[in-house]
Structures are given as structure tokens and as C-alpha cells.
Amino acid sequence: PVIQDGQAIYAQIRVPRPWNGGSRYYNASDDLAANPRVARCRPTRCLHPEVLVTEGHIDGLSAAAAGFRAVAVLGAGYPDASVALNLARLPHPLVVVFAPDGQGRAGAERLAALLAHHQRAPRLLELDEGDLNHTHQHSADWSRELPARVRTADTRPARDAPGLAR
């Protein structure tokens, strides 16, 4: 769930192994609860200066498990001007880490372009396969592996986001 002022305001349910080709995600409809588009994930102890911007809450929790602050965008299609503006206001270095599939890459590129519009070009951490949680599950030492990957995350000039002129 996404919790705001002590109240659950939205829930995103993830099915680890969907049956019969079904969806991995089941979300509340907007008429029941508006999708907040982002959720913050705080580590027990913050060990790193970067904020990881993840695709999904579970990935945000995986980042927090390694001592990173995280902001989970609740879907690769949700990065928009309001999400970018809120992220641009954070005083910490930003590292975007979305799934390496077509939707994840497109969402990460769009978000990078929107952030660049606010002079906050993030670094992009590209995963080999799966999402950040998958990488966490297959790591021998997550508390060392994720920080090493973050240090080598790429800063690339972002392409213009659709509808944005530079």
C-alpha cells in the first residue's frame, strides 16, 4: 500500500507468477482510490546520498534494503511533468532504474528528459534482466552489489520528451 499521513491511500498488488498469461499487477481503479503515481520508500538506515527512482513499489523496497532512499513510480507509463517536478525538487542525486523491457526503457528515457528540462539530469542504471527486485533476489551480497552498480550508472544526454521543447 501507499501510506500518506498514516492512512493507506492506494494499493498495488503484484502477482509473482501470474497464471495463464495474466497480469502481474492488480491495482485499485481510480474511482476507488486515485493512483498517487509515486511512493517513497525509506531505508531503516540511509547509507547513500542518491535517491533511486524505481519502477514499482517492490523495487523501491529492494533499493531501501540496500540503504538507499527510493521513490517508486507506480508504473513505467506514469512519469509525467508533475512527477518530474516533484523529483526535481529533491536535493539528492537521482538515479533512475526501471526494468530493461521496452516499457521500462521508454519510461526511464521519458523521465530523464522531463528531469533534464528542470536541469536535473539523472543517472540511468540499466539492469541486465528482470527488475530491481529480481536482481536483488539473485544477488550474493545486495548491500555491496547495488551501491557498486549505482556508482557506475550512466549519465547520458536525454532525448526530448514528447511535447517538450528545449
Side-chain angles (χ1 to χ4, degrees), residues 39-73 95-98 125 127 131-137 142-147 150:
R40 291 183 184 216
C41 302
R42 293 182 178 95
T44 305
R45 234 178 79 210
C46 186
L47 302 175
H48 310 283
E50 298 89 354
V51 172
L52 300 192
V53 182
T54 66
E55 180 187 352
H57 201 255
I58 301 297
D59 286 358
L61 293 173
S62 292
F68 286 92
R69 294 176 200 90
V71 175
V73 177
V95 178
V96 176
V97 54
F98 282 16
L125 192 161
L127 300 172
D131 56 18
L132 195 63
N133 184 56
H134 175 268
T135 306
H136 178 195
Q137 290 174 335
W142 189 238
S143 63
R144 290 179 192 246
E145 184 179 327
L146 184 57
V150 167

mmCIF file of all heavy atoms in Angstrom, residues 39-73 95-98 125 127 131-137 142-147 150:
data_model
loop_
_atom_site.group_PDB
_atom_site.id
_atom_site.type_symbol
_atom_site.label_atom_id
_atom_site.label_comp_id
_atom_site.label_asym_id
_atom_site.label_seq_id
_atom_site.Cartn_x
_atom_site.Cartn_y
_atom_site.Cartn_z
ATOM 1 N N ALA A 39 5.487 6.695 -4.763
ATOM 2 C CA ALA A 39 5.503 6.388 -3.330
ATOM 3 C C ALA A 39 6.959 6.443 -2.870
ATOM 4 O O ALA A 39 7.863 6.061 -3.608
ATOM 5 C CB ALA A 39 4.920 5.003 -3.073
ATOM 6 N N ARG A 40 7.170 6.916 -1.670
ATOM 7 C CA ARG A 40 8.530 6.973 -1.131
ATOM 8 C C ARG A 40 8.813 5.722 -0.318
ATOM 9 O O ARG A 40 7.948 5.223 0.376
ATOM 10 C CB ARG A 40 8.699 8.203 -0.247
ATOM 11 C CG ARG A 40 8.669 9.475 -1.043
ATOM 12 C CD ARG A 40 8.910 10.667 -0.161
ATOM 13 N NE ARG A 40 8.784 11.860 -0.976
ATOM 14 C CZ ARG A 40 9.531 12.928 -0.814
ATOM 15 N NH1 ARG A 40 10.422 12.977 0.137
ATOM 16 N NH2 ARG A 40 9.364 13.966 -1.594
ATOM 17 N N CYS A 41 10.042 5.242 -0.435
ATOM 18 C CA CYS A 41 10.499 4.082 0.324
ATOM 19 C C CYS A 41 11.736 4.517 1.089
ATOM 20 O O CYS A 41 12.727 4.929 0.483
ATOM 21 C CB CYS A 41 10.843 2.920 -0.609
ATOM 22 S SG CYS A 41 9.474 2.395 -1.649
ATOM 23 N N ARG A 42 11.664 4.429 2.403
ATOM 24 C CA ARG A 42 12.791 4.882 3.219
ATOM 25 C C ARG A 42 13.496 3.676 3.840
ATOM 26 O O ARG A 42 12.847 2.784 4.370
ATOM 27 C CB ARG A 42 12.288 5.806 4.326
ATOM 28 C CG ARG A 42 11.743 7.105 3.785
ATOM 29 C CD ARG A 42 11.284 8.030 4.914
ATOM 30 N NE ARG A 42 10.812 9.273 4.373
ATOM 31 C CZ ARG A 42 9.540 9.535 4.106
ATOM 32 N NH1 ARG A 42 8.625 8.629 4.325
ATOM 33 N NH2 ARG A 42 9.190 10.712 3.628
ATOM 34 N N PRO A 43 14.823 3.687 3.792
ATOM 35 C CA PRO A 43 15.563 2.595 4.428
ATOM 36 C C PRO A 43 15.550 2.759 5.942
ATOM 37 O O PRO A 43 15.305 3.857 6.454
ATOM 38 C CB PRO A 43 16.978 2.767 3.883
ATOM 39 C CG PRO A 43 17.084 4.236 3.618
ATOM 40 C CD PRO A 43 15.704 4.667 3.184
ATOM 41 N N THR A 44 15.821 1.690 6.643
ATOM 42 C CA THR A 44 15.947 1.770 8.096
ATOM 43 C C THR A 44 17.074 2.725 8.458
ATOM 44 O O THR A 44 16.945 3.553 9.340
ATOM 45 C CB THR A 44 16.229 0.374 8.687
ATOM 46 O OG1 THR A 44 15.200 -0.513 8.254
ATOM 47 C CG2 THR A 44 16.283 0.406 10.186
ATOM 48 N N ARG A 45 18.183 2.598 7.732
ATOM 49 C CA ARG A 45 19.327 3.496 7.889
ATOM 50 C C ARG A 45 19.773 3.940 6.516
ATOM 51 O O ARG A 45 20.095 3.115 5.665
ATOM 52 C CB ARG A 45 20.478 2.743 8.568
ATOM 53 C CG ARG A 45 20.991 3.456 9.795
ATOM 54 C CD ARG A 45 22.080 2.702 10.504
ATOM 55 N NE ARG A 45 23.337 2.900 9.800
ATOM 56 C CZ ARG A 45 24.305 2.013 9.760
ATOM 57 N NH1 ARG A 45 24.196 0.877 10.370
ATOM 58 N NH2 ARG A 45 25.410 2.265 9.099
ATOM 59 N N CYS A 46 19.774 5.233 6.264
ATOM 60 C CA CYS A 46 20.183 5.763 4.965
ATOM 61 C C CYS A 46 21.706 5.729 4.885
ATOM 62 O O CYS A 46 22.383 6.399 5.664
ATOM 63 C CB CYS A 46 19.663 7.181 4.788
ATOM 64 S SG CYS A 46 20.006 7.801 3.144
ATOM 65 N N LEU A 47 22.218 4.952 3.929
ATOM 66 C CA LEU A 47 23.661 4.766 3.810
ATOM 67 C C LEU A 47 24.269 5.445 2.585
ATOM 68 O O LEU A 47 25.488 5.471 2.450
ATOM 69 C CB LEU A 47 23.970 3.260 3.744
ATOM 70 C CG LEU A 47 23.475 2.429 4.925
ATOM 71 C CD1 LEU A 47 23.728 0.951 4.668
ATOM 72 C CD2 LEU A 47 24.132 2.890 6.220
ATOM 73 N N HIS A 48 23.421 5.966 1.696
ATOM 74 C CA HIS A 48 23.914 6.508 0.431
ATOM 75 C C HIS A 48 23.219 7.825 0.111
ATOM 76 O O HIS A 48 22.054 8.018 0.464
ATOM 77 C CB HIS A 48 23.672 5.498 -0.698
ATOM 78 C CG HIS A 48 24.164 4.136 -0.355
ATOM 79 N ND1 HIS A 48 25.493 3.795 -0.385
ATOM 80 C CD2 HIS A 48 23.500 3.020 0.068
ATOM 81 C CE1 HIS A 48 25.629 2.539 -0.001
ATOM 82 N NE2 HIS A 48 24.445 2.042 0.275
ATOM 83 N N PRO A 49 23.897 8.735 -0.583
ATOM 84 C CA PRO A 49 23.297 10.041 -0.872
ATOM 85 C C PRO A 49 22.253 10.008 -1.992
ATOM 86 O O PRO A 49 21.381 10.871 -2.037
ATOM 87 C CB PRO A 49 24.493 10.901 -1.284
ATOM 88 C CG PRO A 49 25.485 9.922 -1.829
ATOM 89 C CD PRO A 49 25.292 8.666 -1.024
ATOM 90 N N GLU A 50 22.324 9.033 -2.884
ATOM 91 C CA GLU A 50 21.437 9.004 -4.037
ATOM 92 C C GLU A 50 20.008 8.595 -3.649
ATOM 93 O O GLU A 50 19.789 7.866 -2.696
ATOM 94 C CB GLU A 50 21.939 7.995 -5.094
ATOM 95 C CG GLU A 50 23.296 8.320 -5.656
ATOM 96 C CD GLU A 50 24.446 7.720 -4.865
ATOM 97 O OE1 GLU A 50 24.224 7.121 -3.780
ATOM 98 O OE2 GLU A 50 25.588 7.853 -5.322
ATOM 99 N N VAL A 51 19.070 9.084 -4.459
ATOM 100 C CA VAL A 51 17.685 8.609 -4.403
ATOM 101 C C VAL A 51 17.489 7.772 -5.655
ATOM 102 O O VAL A 51 17.719 8.251 -6.773
ATOM 103 C CB VAL A 51 16.675 9.780 -4.395
ATOM 104 C CG1 VAL A 51 15.249 9.259 -4.531
ATOM 105 C CG2 VAL A 51 16.822 10.599 -3.123
ATOM 106 N N LEU A 52 17.092 6.506 -5.482
ATOM 107 C CA LEU A 52 16.822 5.656 -6.631
ATOM 108 C C LEU A 52 15.354 5.820 -7.009
ATOM 109 O O LEU A 52 14.476 5.724 -6.164
ATOM 110 C CB LEU A 52 17.121 4.190 -6.322
ATOM 111 C CG LEU A 52 18.562 3.869 -5.918
ATOM 112 C CD1 LEU A 52 18.785 2.363 -5.926
ATOM 113 C CD2 LEU A 52 19.564 4.549 -6.804
ATOM 114 N N VAL A 53 15.108 6.098 -8.267
ATOM 115 C CA VAL A 53 13.752 6.231 -8.792
ATOM 116 C C VAL A 53 13.464 4.913 -9.490
ATOM 117 O O VAL A 53 14.086 4.596 -10.502
ATOM 118 C CB VAL A 53 13.625 7.424 -9.758
ATOM 119 C CG1 VAL A 53 12.184 7.553 -10.232
ATOM 120 C CG2 VAL A 53 14.103 8.709 -9.091
ATOM 121 N N THR A 54 12.549 4.138 -8.910
ATOM 122 C CA THR A 54 12.306 2.782 -9.386
ATOM 123 C C THR A 54 10.956 2.674 -10.079
ATOM 124 O O THR A 54 10.079 3.507 -9.903
ATOM 125 C CB THR A 54 12.342 1.779 -8.223
ATOM 126 O OG1 THR A 54 11.241 2.034 -7.341
ATOM 127 C CG2 THR A 54 13.648 1.865 -7.456
ATOM 128 N N GLU A 55 10.820 1.609 -10.834
ATOM 129 C CA GLU A 55 9.549 1.300 -11.493
ATOM 130 C C GLU A 55 8.808 0.317 -10.595
ATOM 131 O O GLU A 55 9.020 -0.887 -10.653
ATOM 132 C CB GLU A 55 9.815 0.679 -12.866
ATOM 133 C CG GLU A 55 8.559 0.324 -13.616
ATOM 134 C CD GLU A 55 8.843 -0.440 -14.903
ATOM 135 O OE1 GLU A 55 10.005 -0.571 -15.305
ATOM 136 O OE2 GLU A 55 7.869 -0.910 -15.497
ATOM 137 N N GLY A 56 7.993 0.839 -9.719
ATOM 138 C CA GLY A 56 7.197 -0.009 -8.836
ATOM 139 C C GLY A 56 7.686 0.014 -7.403
ATOM 140 O O GLY A 56 8.862 0.232 -7.104
ATOM 141 N N HIS A 57 6.734 -0.210 -6.520
ATOM 142 C CA HIS A 57 6.975 -0.149 -5.081
ATOM 143 C C HIS A 57 7.885 -1.268 -4.600
ATOM 144 O O HIS A 57 8.742 -1.057 -3.740
ATOM 145 C CB HIS A 57 5.629 -0.191 -4.354
ATOM 146 C CG HIS A 57 5.701 0.348 -2.979
ATOM 147 N ND1 HIS A 57 5.684 -0.457 -1.885
ATOM 148 C CD2 HIS A 57 5.808 1.618 -2.514
ATOM 149 C CE1 HIS A 57 5.763 0.286 -0.790
ATOM 150 N NE2 HIS A 57 5.844 1.547 -1.156
ATOM 151 N N ILE A 58 7.738 -2.468 -5.146
ATOM 152 C CA ILE A 58 8.572 -3.589 -4.715
ATOM 153 C C ILE A 58 10.046 -3.285 -5.013
ATOM 154 O O ILE A 58 10.922 -3.551 -4.192
ATOM 155 C CB ILE A 58 8.139 -4.904 -5.408
ATOM 156 C CG1 ILE A 58 6.679 -5.231 -5.083
ATOM 157 C CG2 ILE A 58 9.059 -6.052 -5.026
ATOM 158 C CD1 ILE A 58 6.370 -5.485 -3.636
ATOM 159 N N ASP A 59 10.321 -2.678 -6.166
ATOM 160 C CA ASP A 59 11.692 -2.297 -6.485
ATOM 161 C C ASP A 59 12.189 -1.207 -5.539
ATOM 162 O O ASP A 59 13.365 -1.189 -5.159
ATOM 163 C CB ASP A 59 11.798 -1.831 -7.936
ATOM 164 C CG ASP A 59 11.719 -2.983 -8.920
ATOM 165 O OD1 ASP A 59 11.622 -4.150 -8.486
ATOM 166 O OD2 ASP A 59 11.750 -2.723 -10.130
ATOM 167 N N GLY A 60 11.306 -0.290 -5.151
ATOM 168 C CA GLY A 60 11.679 0.732 -4.175
ATOM 169 C C GLY A 60 12.079 0.110 -2.849
ATOM 170 O O GLY A 60 13.041 0.535 -2.204
ATOM 171 N N LEU A 61 11.351 -0.919 -2.434
ATOM 172 C CA LEU A 61 11.696 -1.617 -1.186
ATOM 173 C C LEU A 61 13.024 -2.355 -1.325
ATOM 174 O O LEU A 61 13.800 -2.425 -0.363
ATOM 175 C CB LEU A 61 10.572 -2.583 -0.807
ATOM 176 C CG LEU A 61 9.247 -1.911 -0.421
ATOM 177 C CD1 LEU A 61 8.167 -2.964 -0.223
ATOM 178 C CD2 LEU A 61 9.408 -1.053 0.818
ATOM 179 N N SER A 62 13.303 -2.884 -2.516
ATOM 180 C CA SER A 62 14.594 -3.545 -2.749
ATOM 181 C C SER A 62 15.731 -2.536 -2.639
ATOM 182 O O SER A 62 16.797 -2.849 -2.109
ATOM 183 C CB SER A 62 14.616 -4.217 -4.121
ATOM 184 O OG SER A 62 13.718 -5.303 -4.150
ATOM 185 N N ALA A 63 15.518 -1.312 -3.132
ATOM 186 C CA ALA A 63 16.530 -0.256 -3.002
ATOM 187 C C ALA A 63 16.726 0.102 -1.530
ATOM 188 O O ALA A 63 17.862 0.254 -1.061
ATOM 189 C CB ALA A 63 16.111 0.976 -3.807
ATOM 190 N N ALA A 64 15.632 0.224 -0.798
ATOM 191 C CA ALA A 64 15.706 0.557 0.631
ATOM 192 C C ALA A 64 16.449 -0.535 1.409
ATOM 193 O O ALA A 64 17.163 -0.239 2.375
ATOM 194 C CB ALA A 64 14.307 0.778 1.196
ATOM 195 N N ALA A 65 16.316 -1.784 0.985
ATOM 196 C CA ALA A 65 17.007 -2.891 1.659
ATOM 197 C C ALA A 65 18.518 -2.733 1.583
ATOM 198 O O ALA A 65 19.245 -3.256 2.431
ATOM 199 C CB ALA A 65 16.581 -4.229 1.057
ATOM 200 N N ALA A 66 19.011 -2.005 0.574
ATOM 201 C CA ALA A 66 20.451 -1.759 0.437
ATOM 202 C C ALA A 66 20.857 -0.406 1.018
ATOM 203 O O ALA A 66 21.991 0.033 0.823
ATOM 204 C CB ALA A 66 20.862 -1.846 -1.033
ATOM 205 N N GLY A 67 19.934 0.273 1.704
ATOM 206 C CA GLY A 67 20.266 1.540 2.360
ATOM 207 C C GLY A 67 20.060 2.783 1.534
ATOM 208 O O GLY A 67 20.573 3.851 1.869
ATOM 209 N N PHE A 68 19.289 2.684 0.440
ATOM 210 C CA PHE A 68 19.006 3.841 -0.411
ATOM 211 C C PHE A 68 17.618 4.394 -0.133
ATOM 212 O O PHE A 68 16.681 3.635 0.103
ATOM 213 C CB PHE A 68 19.056 3.455 -1.900
ATOM 214 C CG PHE A 68 20.431 3.235 -2.431
ATOM 215 C CD1 PHE A 68 20.989 1.965 -2.414
ATOM 216 C CD2 PHE A 68 21.173 4.287 -2.949
ATOM 217 C CE1 PHE A 68 22.265 1.747 -2.911
ATOM 218 C CE2 PHE A 68 22.444 4.076 -3.446
ATOM 219 C CZ PHE A 68 22.990 2.804 -3.420
ATOM 220 N N ARG A 69 17.489 5.729 -0.208
ATOM 221 C CA ARG A 69 16.160 6.323 -0.295
ATOM 222 C C ARG A 69 15.651 5.971 -1.680
ATOM 223 O O ARG A 69 16.431 5.921 -2.633
ATOM 224 C CB ARG A 69 16.216 7.846 -0.200
ATOM 225 C CG ARG A 69 16.661 8.411 1.100
ATOM 226 C CD ARG A 69 16.747 9.948 0.937
ATOM 227 N NE ARG A 69 17.580 10.529 1.947
ATOM 228 C CZ ARG A 69 18.891 10.731 1.844
ATOM 229 N NH1 ARG A 69 19.534 10.416 0.754
ATOM 230 N NH2 ARG A 69 19.565 11.253 2.829
ATOM 231 N N ALA A 70 14.349 5.782 -1.811
ATOM 232 C CA ALA A 70 13.805 5.468 -3.131
ATOM 233 C C ALA A 70 12.463 6.157 -3.302
ATOM 234 O O ALA A 70 11.726 6.368 -2.346
ATOM 235 C CB ALA A 70 13.641 3.955 -3.304
ATOM 236 N N VAL A 71 12.186 6.514 -4.540
ATOM 237 C CA VAL A 71 10.861 6.978 -4.935
ATOM 238 C C VAL A 71 10.406 6.006 -6.007
ATOM 239 O O VAL A 71 11.067 5.840 -7.032
ATOM 240 C CB VAL A 71 10.883 8.416 -5.482
ATOM 241 C CG1 VAL A 71 9.501 8.803 -5.999
ATOM 242 C CG2 VAL A 71 11.343 9.390 -4.404
ATOM 243 N N ALA A 72 9.306 5.326 -5.724
ATOM 244 C CA ALA A 72 8.772 4.342 -6.654
ATOM 245 C C ALA A 72 7.723 4.995 -7.533
ATOM 246 O O ALA A 72 6.734 5.527 -7.037
ATOM 247 C CB ALA A 72 8.157 3.177 -5.882
ATOM 248 N N VAL A 73 7.964 4.983 -8.841
ATOM 249 C CA VAL A 73 6.958 5.420 -9.801
ATOM 250 C C VAL A 73 6.102 4.180 -10.047
ATOM 251 O O VAL A 73 6.616 3.123 -10.385
ATOM 252 C CB VAL A 73 7.614 5.927 -11.105
ATOM 253 C CG1 VAL A 73 6.547 6.319 -12.123
ATOM 254 C CG2 VAL A 73 8.534 7.102 -10.817
ATOM 255 N N VAL A 95 18.968 8.667 -9.463
ATOM 256 C CA VAL A 95 19.360 7.552 -10.321
ATOM 257 C C VAL A 95 18.077 6.820 -10.696
ATOM 258 O O VAL A 95 17.358 6.324 -9.826
ATOM 259 C CB VAL A 95 20.335 6.592 -9.612
ATOM 260 C CG1 VAL A 95 20.685 5.412 -10.513
ATOM 261 C CG2 VAL A 95 21.585 7.329 -9.154
ATOM 262 N N VAL A 96 17.768 6.781 -11.984
ATOM 263 C CA VAL A 96 16.560 6.111 -12.472
ATOM 264 C C VAL A 96 16.908 4.674 -12.800
ATOM 265 O O VAL A 96 17.859 4.411 -13.534
ATOM 266 C CB VAL A 96 15.985 6.829 -13.715
ATOM 267 C CG1 VAL A 96 14.784 6.076 -14.268
ATOM 268 C CG2 VAL A 96 15.613 8.269 -13.369
ATOM 269 N N VAL A 97 16.129 3.748 -12.249
ATOM 270 C CA VAL A 97 16.350 2.325 -12.513
ATOM 271 C C VAL A 97 14.997 1.648 -12.747
ATOM 272 O O VAL A 97 14.281 1.339 -11.819
ATOM 273 C CB VAL A 97 17.178 1.630 -11.399
ATOM 274 C CG1 VAL A 97 16.590 1.839 -10.029
ATOM 275 C CG2 VAL A 97 17.357 0.164 -11.685
ATOM 276 N N PHE A 98 14.654 1.517 -14.045
ATOM 277 C CA PHE A 98 13.415 0.860 -14.455
ATOM 278 C C PHE A 98 13.771 -0.486 -15.080
ATOM 279 O O PHE A 98 14.928 -0.753 -15.392
ATOM 280 C CB PHE A 98 12.670 1.719 -15.476
ATOM 281 C CG PHE A 98 11.902 2.884 -14.902
ATOM 282 C CD1 PHE A 98 12.110 3.350 -13.623
ATOM 283 C CD2 PHE A 98 10.960 3.526 -15.668
ATOM 284 C CE1 PHE A 98 11.402 4.432 -13.113
ATOM 285 C CE2 PHE A 98 10.232 4.600 -15.187
ATOM 286 C CZ PHE A 98 10.455 5.060 -13.897
ATOM 287 N N LEU A 125 20.536 3.718 -14.440
ATOM 288 C CA LEU A 125 21.120 2.426 -14.124
ATOM 289 C C LEU A 125 20.354 1.382 -14.920
ATOM 290 O O LEU A 125 19.156 1.204 -14.708
ATOM 291 C CB LEU A 125 20.997 2.147 -12.621
ATOM 292 C CG LEU A 125 21.800 0.985 -12.056
ATOM 293 C CD1 LEU A 125 21.938 1.144 -10.558
ATOM 294 C CD2 LEU A 125 21.225 -0.360 -12.387
ATOM 295 N N LEU A 127 19.577 -2.403 -15.981
ATOM 296 C CA LEU A 127 19.667 -3.766 -15.475
ATOM 297 C C LEU A 127 19.848 -4.736 -16.639
ATOM 298 O O LEU A 127 19.423 -4.463 -17.762
ATOM 299 C CB LEU A 127 18.392 -4.112 -14.705
ATOM 300 C CG LEU A 127 18.107 -3.220 -13.496
ATOM 301 C CD1 LEU A 127 16.725 -3.519 -12.933
ATOM 302 C CD2 LEU A 127 19.170 -3.395 -12.434
ATOM 303 N N ASP A 131 13.625 -6.982 -13.095
ATOM 304 C CA ASP A 131 13.546 -5.677 -12.442
ATOM 305 C C ASP A 131 14.534 -5.621 -11.283
ATOM 306 O O ASP A 131 15.318 -6.547 -11.076
ATOM 307 C CB ASP A 131 12.110 -5.389 -11.996
ATOM 308 C CG ASP A 131 11.540 -6.479 -11.089
ATOM 309 O OD1 ASP A 131 12.316 -7.274 -10.514
ATOM 310 O OD2 ASP A 131 10.317 -6.536 -10.948
ATOM 311 N N LEU A 132 14.507 -4.542 -10.523
ATOM 312 C CA LEU A 132 15.449 -4.394 -9.420
ATOM 313 C C LEU A 132 15.230 -5.473 -8.368
ATOM 314 O O LEU A 132 16.183 -6.003 -7.798
ATOM 315 C CB LEU A 132 15.322 -2.994 -8.806
ATOM 316 C CG LEU A 132 16.467 -2.579 -7.891
ATOM 317 C CD1 LEU A 132 17.782 -2.505 -8.655
ATOM 318 C CD2 LEU A 132 16.165 -1.243 -7.244
ATOM 319 N N ASN A 133 13.984 -5.835 -8.111
ATOM 320 C CA ASN A 133 13.707 -6.882 -7.144
ATOM 321 C C ASN A 133 14.282 -8.224 -7.605
ATOM 322 O O ASN A 133 14.847 -8.971 -6.810
ATOM 323 C CB ASN A 133 12.200 -6.995 -6.894
ATOM 324 C CG ASN A 133 11.887 -8.001 -5.825
ATOM 325 O OD1 ASN A 133 12.374 -7.906 -4.709
ATOM 326 N ND2 ASN A 133 11.077 -8.987 -6.169
ATOM 327 N N HIS A 134 14.158 -8.535 -8.895
ATOM 328 C CA HIS A 134 14.735 -9.757 -9.445
ATOM 329 C C HIS A 134 16.249 -9.764 -9.241
ATOM 330 O O HIS A 134 16.839 -10.771 -8.843
ATOM 331 C CB HIS A 134 14.396 -9.857 -10.941
ATOM 332 C CG HIS A 134 15.035 -11.012 -11.630
ATOM 333 N ND1 HIS A 134 16.261 -10.917 -12.256
ATOM 334 C CD2 HIS A 134 14.630 -12.296 -11.789
ATOM 335 C CE1 HIS A 134 16.578 -12.088 -12.770
ATOM 336 N NE2 HIS A 134 15.604 -12.941 -12.506
ATOM 337 N N THR A 135 16.884 -8.629 -9.500
ATOM 338 C CA THR A 135 18.328 -8.507 -9.313
ATOM 339 C C THR A 135 18.685 -8.698 -7.848
ATOM 340 O O THR A 135 19.663 -9.373 -7.510
ATOM 341 C CB THR A 135 18.822 -7.137 -9.826
ATOM 342 O OG1 THR A 135 18.375 -6.981 -11.174
ATOM 343 C CG2 THR A 135 20.330 -7.016 -9.780
ATOM 344 N N HIS A 136 17.875 -8.135 -6.953
ATOM 345 C CA HIS A 136 18.070 -8.282 -5.505
ATOM 346 C C HIS A 136 17.988 -9.752 -5.110
ATOM 347 O O HIS A 136 18.839 -10.260 -4.378
ATOM 348 C CB HIS A 136 17.002 -7.458 -4.781
ATOM 349 C CG HIS A 136 17.046 -7.545 -3.296
ATOM 350 N ND1 HIS A 136 15.991 -7.119 -2.527
ATOM 351 C CD2 HIS A 136 17.965 -8.004 -2.418
ATOM 352 C CE1 HIS A 136 16.280 -7.299 -1.252
ATOM 353 N NE2 HIS A 136 17.471 -7.832 -1.165
ATOM 354 N N GLN A 137 16.979 -10.447 -5.609
ATOM 355 C CA GLN A 137 16.787 -11.855 -5.259
ATOM 356 C C GLN A 137 17.955 -12.725 -5.703
ATOM 357 O O GLN A 137 18.232 -13.746 -5.089
ATOM 358 C CB GLN A 137 15.503 -12.386 -5.895
ATOM 359 C CG GLN A 137 14.247 -11.822 -5.284
ATOM 360 C CD GLN A 137 13.009 -12.269 -6.046
ATOM 361 O OE1 GLN A 137 13.069 -12.592 -7.229
ATOM 362 N NE2 GLN A 137 11.890 -12.293 -5.351
ATOM 363 N N TRP A 142 23.692 -8.033 -1.655
ATOM 364 C CA TRP A 142 22.944 -6.867 -2.132
ATOM 365 C C TRP A 142 23.473 -5.562 -1.574
ATOM 366 O O TRP A 142 23.530 -4.554 -2.277
ATOM 367 C CB TRP A 142 21.471 -7.053 -1.784
ATOM 368 C CG TRP A 142 20.558 -6.047 -2.397
ATOM 369 C CD1 TRP A 142 19.709 -5.208 -1.734
ATOM 370 C CD2 TRP A 142 20.357 -5.777 -3.793
ATOM 371 N NE1 TRP A 142 18.995 -4.439 -2.625
ATOM 372 C CE2 TRP A 142 19.387 -4.773 -3.898
ATOM 373 C CE3 TRP A 142 20.921 -6.282 -4.952
ATOM 374 C CZ2 TRP A 142 18.962 -4.262 -5.118
ATOM 375 C CZ3 TRP A 142 20.498 -5.778 -6.167
ATOM 376 C CH2 TRP A 142 19.522 -4.779 -6.234
ATOM 377 N N SER A 143 23.870 -5.546 -0.299
ATOM 378 C CA SER A 143 24.329 -4.295 0.317
ATOM 379 C C SER A 143 25.636 -3.791 -0.305
ATOM 380 O O SER A 143 25.959 -2.622 -0.178
ATOM 381 C CB SER A 143 24.496 -4.466 1.833
ATOM 382 O OG SER A 143 25.502 -5.422 2.111
ATOM 383 N N ARG A 144 26.365 -4.653 -1.008
ATOM 384 C CA ARG A 144 27.567 -4.227 -1.728
ATOM 385 C C ARG A 144 27.301 -4.105 -3.228
ATOM 386 O O ARG A 144 27.847 -3.227 -3.885
ATOM 387 C CB ARG A 144 28.706 -5.209 -1.499
ATOM 388 C CG ARG A 144 29.254 -5.164 -0.098
ATOM 389 C CD ARG A 144 30.363 -6.185 0.053
ATOM 390 N NE ARG A 144 30.705 -6.351 1.444
ATOM 391 C CZ ARG A 144 31.860 -6.007 1.961
ATOM 392 N NH1 ARG A 144 32.805 -5.506 1.194
ATOM 393 N NH2 ARG A 144 32.104 -6.183 3.229
ATOM 394 N N GLU A 145 26.479 -5.012 -3.768
ATOM 395 C CA GLU A 145 26.271 -5.037 -5.209
ATOM 396 C C GLU A 145 25.511 -3.807 -5.706
ATOM 397 O O GLU A 145 25.917 -3.190 -6.690
ATOM 398 C CB GLU A 145 25.508 -6.296 -5.618
ATOM 399 C CG GLU A 145 25.348 -6.401 -7.122
ATOM 400 C CD GLU A 145 24.625 -7.656 -7.553
ATOM 401 O OE1 GLU A 145 24.771 -8.701 -6.895
ATOM 402 O OE2 GLU A 145 23.907 -7.573 -8.567
ATOM 403 N N LEU A 146 24.410 -3.434 -5.054
ATOM 404 C CA LEU A 146 23.644 -2.293 -5.554
ATOM 405 C C LEU A 146 24.449 -0.996 -5.504
ATOM 406 O O LEU A 146 24.485 -0.265 -6.494
ATOM 407 C CB LEU A 146 22.298 -2.151 -4.834
ATOM 408 C CG LEU A 146 21.411 -1.040 -5.388
ATOM 409 C CD1 LEU A 146 21.120 -1.221 -6.882
ATOM 410 C CD2 LEU A 146 20.109 -0.959 -4.599
ATOM 411 N N PRO A 147 25.133 -0.673 -4.393
ATOM 412 C CA PRO A 147 25.944 0.557 -4.414
ATOM 413 C C PRO A 147 27.001 0.557 -5.522
ATOM 414 O O PRO A 147 27.249 1.597 -6.138
ATOM 415 C CB PRO A 147 26.595 0.585 -3.026
ATOM 416 C CG PRO A 147 25.658 -0.188 -2.166
ATOM 417 C CD PRO A 147 25.109 -1.277 -3.056
ATOM 418 N N VAL A 150 25.211 1.418 -8.686
ATOM 419 C CA VAL A 150 24.818 2.840 -8.688
ATOM 420 C C VAL A 150 26.015 3.715 -9.031
ATOM 421 O O VAL A 150 25.887 4.672 -9.798
ATOM 422 C CB VAL A 150 24.178 3.230 -7.342
ATOM 423 C CG1 VAL A 150 24.050 4.742 -7.198
ATOM 424 C CG2 VAL A 150 22.818 2.556 -7.186
#
